[in-house]
Amino acid sequence: MERTENPFRITKSNNLIDAQIDSLWVSPGDDGDDLTALARPASPMAMFIMGGKGSGKSHLMRHFSFQVQQIRFIKSQTPIFTGLGSEGYVGIYARCGGLNSHRFARKNQSDHRWADLFAYYFELWVADRTLEILEALTVATNASGIDGELATDIAKLFDAGDVPANSMGEIRTFLSQVRRKLDYAINNSSLTGRIDAEILITRGKLFFGIPAAACARIRQLEGVRFLYLLDEFENLTVEQQVYLNTLVRETEGPMSFKIGSRLYGFRTQLTLSGGELNREGSEYEALRLDERFRSDSSRYEEFARRLVSRRLSTSFGNDIFEKEVEKLEEYFEPPPDTSVLSQDLRKCMPESSVDRRHVIEFKRKLMKGIAEGLVVGPSSTSDAEEIIQAVSFAESPVLEKLSILSTYQHWFRSDDLVQAARITRAAAEAYLSGSRNDRFDEFVRKHKGDMVAQLLRENSQRQIYSGIKTLIRMSEGLPRALITTLKHIFDWSIYMQEKPFSGGKISLAAQSRGVSEAADWFLEHMLEEGDAGLLVRSSVDRLSRLFRANRFADKPVETSLIAFSVDEVQIEPEARSTIKSAIDTSILINVVGGQRERNSELVSRKLELNTMLSPRFDLPVARRGVTTFSVDQTNAIFVYSQRELFEKLLSDWEAKMTAPYFGRTSSPAPKSTDQRDLFE
């Protein structure tokens, strides 16, 4: 296969034409629990389709649009009305962002006046898109006179005005002229101080009336619902959202709404219907896409692999990628071996244990601890040498790091280090010989990832983020994040004169540089504009510094730490607001189920730093440990003005995790080593 343009170059569905929306469409499953079934486009119940940037909202909604429906019908050689009847809906897609809704504000006009003008303009705008579709459908009926009959019915929906009723085309021309005059008046109102306009329709009359008229006149539309697909709800002001909420509440006839919004964009549930609120489960349903993807990691991985394979097949003109989805991993250079007996890791450090940085540093701290009376058990140089010999494994730097970690854990607990080192040595040797100890095996599984990360850092090696499985995990249910990561990796692979997906493997170097660029992109792209974004950025920096300090500490507080729990009730309002902003922009991920605290029955909110940011801060991708932040600690992280308190928090954390003092100011009291607590 010859190299083509980067298959992942286009990452936003808004930049795709209708044919690409269709050709790149992938559903998570074929067993009925796929996106179409979840979104229920033919349902009379309105739905808000929500998610973070890049969760697939727009692609999903455009997939339901009439323009893409037509493409599906043509490809399957299905008559248009047969196809619409089978799918049960005709989709009218419109982006709220295309309205320039900010025009409908200020300029010496009252809020009520602007609200009325926006509602009027919006209805005319969507009606034009609906009539465009009806023009095509009236032609498809092959029935003479139906276009004029339907035009007459639609003209009667207007309260006033000389509305032409001879054809749909004439009504569209009329609507275009009305909107053009409104555009001129609105755009110049800051200069003229006035807007000369008449509102020719009652609110909702076209939204509800056109589908009813169409279904009454076109018999082939019996049982078919008109589905208004209104995307980018977040671009509307609160007052403008109230208007749309009102339409949702007052829905009538053969039509329904699917409204797409980013998580932070759903600002109000208020309506104009006596101030009533729209309630989820009553007036509308909600589909939270990225949350749905994250709730079933295996299904999301399957979906993501198919998504990548479809991109590759479409770009390279070869369906081998879709036939061999499970072989995607083979196009990436595998990561170095990080097993306990890894030879790859040995190559990046001295052969002898005594010359390795981690052993030298352990010896220095141990000798300091003995000299200052900070350690229980050893009292002489010979005792220190015995401990150092016990943790040294020239053939296994990973086991060496794990043995040192175990020793630090016992040191922290004031155990006799000589005795503890002997027990650790015996367990480690048994592990190497193939004899298994459940507690030590679990200790290895639990801590190996962080110890490998420390070895890489101590020997000036990059952290490892590679392979399609890891990239999918990092995307956190956001398909655009995965596609963007692959875009950067592909570009680096080409730059390094490789042949990605066409005869060669993508090197670890290209993968590493690609994920690093993607991590930077993610933070810049996801943050909100203004103060809210700045507050989240500051908090992410603080949070990541704590997590990074933990990962590379002598005795980490938690294993593979990227998650925390917090009681949101008692923290300061700014902290609560910043956490919400971080969740709404997918910087923090809400872990369903929360965290049950060890010393109480309370369940706190459990949050995870989005692993797309892991390469930026050298953090893990897999989540194991969860730390609980107190109210004061949470405020220090998420309240911007508490910078000094955060620096003290970080300093205290580092001190408690670092030998030889472990945050102590006095000599530890000796205690016996309990075999049951040997390995944490």
Side-chain angles (χ1 to χ4, degrees), residues 341-445:
L341 290 174
S342 168
Q343 297 303 303
D344 292 340
L345 290 174
R346 289 181 65 183
K347 293 174 184 177
C348 68
M349 65 188 69
E351 188 65 27
S352 172
S353 292
V354 296
D355 296 324
R356 291 171 181 167
R357 180 175 172 181
H358 56 271
V359 176
I360 293 171
E361 188 65 10
F362 174 69
K363 180 177 180 179
R364 182 186 69 79
K365 292 181 177 182
L366 179 60
M367 297 305 295
K368 184 177 179 66
I370 294 173
E372 297 188 19
L374 300 170
V375 61
V376 175
S379 58
S380 64
T381 302
S382 61
D383 288 339
E385 289 300 328
E386 180 183 349
I387 293 171
I388 293 166
Q389 285 297 317
V391 301
S392 297
F393 292 88
E395 73 278 25
S396 177
V398 176
L399 199 56
E400 208 163 55
K401 283 288 292 185
L402 287 164
S403 298
I404 290 173
L405 171 62
S406 176
T407 305
Y408 279 140
Q409 289 176 344
H410 286 290
W411 189 344
F412 177 81
R413 298 203 308 252
S414 301
D415 293 337
D416 185 320
L417 281 200
V418 176
Q419 180 187 0
R422 290 169 182 167
I423 297 173
T424 299
R425 179 75 188 189
E429 288 179 337
Y431 185 91
L432 286 176
S433 68
S435 177
R436 290 295 180 250
N437 175 301
D438 288 345
R439 293 190 65 81
F440 190 76
D441 288 359
E442 175 60 24
F443 173 78
V444 172
R445 285 192 296 271

Side-chain angles (χ1 to χ4, degrees), residues 382-569:
S382 61
D383 288 339
E385 289 300 328
E386 180 183 349
I387 293 171
I388 293 166
Q389 285 297 317
V391 301
S392 297
F393 292 88
E395 73 278 25
S396 177
V398 176
L399 199 56
E400 208 163 55
K401 283 288 292 185
L402 287 164
S403 298
I404 290 173
L405 171 62
S406 176
T407 305
Y408 279 140
Q409 289 176 344
H410 286 290
W411 189 344
F412 177 81
R413 298 203 308 252
S414 301
D415 293 337
D416 185 320
L417 281 200
V418 176
Q419 180 187 0
R422 290 169 182 167
I423 297 173
T424 299
R425 179 75 188 189
E429 288 179 337
Y431 185 91
L432 286 176
S433 68
S435 177
R436 290 295 180 250
N437 175 301
D438 288 345
R439 293 190 65 81
F440 190 76
D441 288 359
E442 175 60 24
F443 173 78
V444 172
R445 285 192 296 271
K446 183 178 178 181
H447 295 287
K448 184 170 75 73
D450 283 342
M451 294 304 100
V452 168
Q454 290 191 13
L455 283 172
L456 292 170
R457 187 189 222 197
E458 290 163 357
N459 293 279
S460 303
Q461 302 296 305
R462 286 178 175 267
Q463 296 300 315
I464 302 168
Y465 304 97
S466 64
I468 191 66
K469 190 176 185 70
T470 296
L471 301 181
I472 292 171
R473 165 67 180 96
M474 287 172 57
S475 69
E476 296 279 17
L478 298 171
R480 188 189 300 167
L482 174 62
I483 296 300
T484 300
T485 302
L486 288 168
K487 179 185 76 170
H488 288 292
I489 289 174
F490 192 97
D491 282 344
W492 272 107
S493 185
I494 293 296
Y495 178 76
M496 294 176 176
Q497 299 184 334
E498 300 166 359
K499 295 181 178 180
F501 302 106
S502 57
K505 291 184 181 292
I506 300 173
S507 67
L508 285 172
Q511 294 178 65
S512 178
R513 286 172 171 78
V515 296
S516 293
E517 284 189 353
D520 292 340
W521 161 84
F522 185 81
L523 184 59
E524 297 297 330
H525 176 71
M526 300 302 284
L527 289 173
E528 287 186 77
E529 297 291 332
D531 291 344
L534 292 175
L535 293 176
V536 171
R537 178 189 283 275
S538 171
S539 298
V540 166
D541 178 69
R542 294 179 189 180
L543 188 63
S544 62
R545 288 173 66 191
L546 281 174
F547 288 168
R548 187 169 54 217
N550 176 83
R551 192 180 201 197
F552 298 106
D554 293 337
K555 182 199 171 297
V557 173
E558 290 286 354
T559 307
S560 298
L561 185 60
I562 51 173
F564 64 97
S565 65
V566 58
D567 179 2
E568 289 184 288
V569 175

